[in-house]
């Protein structure tokens, strides 16, 4: 049998560009070269799509010097990558795409829509699941129908901030301080803040509005941060549980990727029955958003009550060396190579269906 070609997309225009580079390096390292040829496409911060010749160019940054444009054509007769270098144009056929893109313009359904138009199989969630899961406010609205507890929330639009007093009163009527303020669509906790009073709430709303026109204000849940990995298509499986020990007051971008005091614990001790509740809730939420392939579902274990409280779902979780998703499956006996192979096969199977 001839090898299939996997195109790996990385980089992107979101605030998680650098994280994507590290995740992509992990994914590419763990693609079985006996089964697949690999094509690399790097997307710059300003939106240029570049052909990348070697995996080593990802870490070194040399990929940014590529002179060849590489774009996926929505023309279904192509089913591949258009390679453009000056006046020379060629097509590289692609069998499946692995979009290792975190955040906006990658994890939010936009790239997935392009691949649907091109009729090219791809790894991960489809357009609907990607878009609603990226949007924290709409995820909350969906989960409200499931009987899974989540923090109280209020949605705010950036254009409403001209009438800040009305917005603040609306938030204060429903949520006690401290209040978390989050851009609805940003990733890796960019633009997130915690307000202990009205002045901080106003500042937090303005900061969040720099990242998104939709803003989520949330009740603060005090408790342990626990996460569960989900894998599958029609048959969905949940992993065991991981716990985040954040070095900062909350697990923001810096605490995730730059503070060595932040720790992840695989298989933490939990009260009886909690792990199964989390696993069941993770699968229920994944199915409710029409998930496919993979997601990481995050919860709190509330202090005092030991109740699980849904936080958010990530449809393209990190694949860095410190990322929870691959570590949770490795703990279940799934090596990174086996996990990557399973995800590719799931993408191909969905297209066949």
């Amino acid at each position: 049998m001839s090898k299939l070609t996997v195109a790996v997309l990385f980089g992107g225009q979101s605030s998680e560009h650098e994280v994507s580079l590290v995740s992509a390096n992990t994914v590419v390292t763990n693609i079985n070269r006996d089964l697949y040829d690999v094509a690399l496409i790097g997307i710059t911060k300003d939106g240029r799509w570049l052909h990348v010749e070697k995996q080593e160019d990802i870490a070194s940054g040399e990929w940014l010097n590529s002179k060849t444009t590489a774009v996926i054509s929505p023309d279904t007769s192509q089913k591949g990558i258009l390679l453009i270098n000056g006046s020379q144009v060629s097509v590289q056929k692609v069998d499946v795409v692995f979009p290792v893109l975190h955040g906006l313009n990658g994890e939010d359904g936009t790239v997935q829509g392009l691949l649907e138009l091109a009729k090219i199989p791809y790894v991960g969630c489809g357009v609907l699941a990607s878009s609603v899961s990226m949007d924290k406010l709409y995820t909350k609205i969906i989960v409200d129908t499931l009987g899974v507890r989540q923090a109280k929330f209020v949605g705010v639009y950036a254009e409403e901030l001209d009438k800040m007093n009305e917005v603040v009163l609306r938030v204060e009527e429903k949520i006690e301080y401290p209040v978390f303020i989050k851009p609805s669509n940003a990733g890796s906790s960019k633009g997130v803040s915690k307000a202990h009073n009205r002045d901080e709430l106003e500042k937090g709303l303005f900061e969040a509005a720099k990242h998104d026109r939709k803003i989520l204000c949330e009740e603060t849940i005090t408790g342990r941060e626990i996460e569960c990995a989900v894998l599958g298509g029609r048959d969905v499986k949940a992993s065991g549980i991981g716990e985040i020990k954040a070095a900062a007051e909350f697990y923001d971008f810096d605490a995730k990727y730059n503070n060595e005091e932040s720790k992840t614990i695989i298989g933490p001790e939990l009260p009886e029955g909690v792990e199964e509740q989390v696993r069941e809730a993770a699968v229920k939420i994944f199915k409710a958003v029409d998930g496919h392939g993979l997601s990481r579902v995050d919860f709190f274990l509330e202090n005092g009550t030991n109740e699980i409280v849904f936080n958010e779902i990530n449809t393209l979780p990190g694949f860095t060396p410190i990322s929870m998703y691959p570590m949770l499956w490795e703990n279940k006996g799934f090596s990174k190579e086996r996990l990557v192979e399973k995800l590719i096969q799931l993408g191909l199977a969905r297209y066949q269906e």
Side-chain angles (χ1 to χ4, degrees), residues 6-291:
V6 180
V8 177
L9 303 184
F10 65 88
Q13 294 180 269
S14 83
S15 57
E16 298 177 89
H17 177 95
E18 286 77 13
V19 180
S20 170
L21 303 186
V22 182
S23 291
N25 199 46
T26 303
V27 169
V28 174
T29 297
N30 288 283
I31 292 176
N32 187 336
R33 299 309 175 94
D34 292 332
L35 299 176
Y36 304 102
D37 289 321
V38 178
L40 301 175
I41 300 177
I43 304 172
T44 67
K45 290 182 179 179
D46 59 356
R48 291 177 297 132
W49 288 46
L50 302 175
H51 175 246
V52 181
E53 290 189 5
K54 305 188 299 294
Q55 180 183 351
E56 306 87 78
D57 292 345
I58 301 175
S60 69
E62 184 61 30
W63 69 276
L64 292 166
N65 297 320
S66 173
K67 298 294 190 276
T68 303
T69 297
V71 295
I72 293 174
S73 171
D75 185 335
T76 58
S77 68
Q78 304 289 350
K79 290 201 174 180
I81 305 167
L82 295 180
L83 300 174
I84 307 167
N85 191 332
S87 61
Q88 295 182 322
V89 180
S90 60
V91 177
Q92 181 174 5
K93 293 296 182 182
V94 169
D95 297 291
V96 59
V97 172
F98 201 134
V100 191
L101 297 165
H102 307 310
L104 291 173
N105 301 312
E107 191 179 348
D108 59 354
T110 49
V111 165
Q112 290 76 13
L114 170 62
L115 297 170
E116 293 281 355
L117 287 173
K119 296 194 182 303
I120 299 175
Y122 59 92
V123 169
C125 289
V127 175
L128 176 65
S130 299
S131 59
V132 299
S133 299
M134 186 69 205
D135 192 309
K136 296 179 179 68
L137 179 57
Y138 277 85
T139 306
K140 292 281 186 186
I141 293 169
I142 291 171
V143 174
D144 249 359
T145 68
L146 300 180
V148 175
R149 185 185 163 193
Q150 57 185 343
K152 298 173 187 174
F153 67 96
V154 173
V156 176
Y157 290 86
E159 56 266 30
E160 296 180 297
L161 300 186
D162 289 340
K163 298 179 180 178
M164 180 62 80
N165 193 52
E166 292 180 12
V167 170
V168 167
L169 287 173
R170 192 166 85 233
V171 174
E172 290 178 336
E173 282 176 3
K174 188 164 184 180
I175 309 172
E176 295 181 358
Y177 290 107
V179 175
F180 269 110
I181 307 112
K182 304 176 180 180
S184 192
N185 282 281
S188 275
S189 304
K190 289 284 190 177
V192 175
S193 61
K194 188 177 183 180
H196 299 82
N197 52 53
R198 181 173 290 195
D199 182 58
E200 290 180 1
L201 175 59
E202 293 180 1
K203 289 178 181 176
L205 288 166
F206 280 125
E207 178 59 31
K210 294 177 184 177
H211 299 267
D212 191 11
R213 66 175 285 268
K214 271 183 289 187
I215 303 164
L216 177 68
C217 296
E218 262 187 325
E219 169 193 16
T220 296
I221 302 295
T222 304
R224 297 163 66 181
E225 297 187 43
I226 54 178
E227 302 180 348
C228 183
V230 178
L231 175 69
R234 290 187 176 183
D235 182 25
V236 181
K237 304 292 186 185
S239 70
I241 307 300
E243 181 174 6
I244 299 296
K245 295 283 190 181
E249 183 179 7
F250 60 94
Y251 200 42
D252 60 7
F253 187 90
D254 190 62
K256 282 180 182 177
Y257 299 110
N258 300 324
N259 194 324
E260 294 181 358
E261 296 301 313
S262 291
K263 291 181 173 60
T264 55
I265 301 169
I266 305 299
E269 287 191 20
L270 296 169
E272 185 177 352
V274 165
E275 177 169 343
E276 195 51 40
Q277 289 176 40
V278 170
R279 294 175 75 246
E280 287 178 3
V283 171
K284 184 184 287 189
I285 292 165
F286 182 71
K287 288 182 175 180
V289 300
D290 195 30

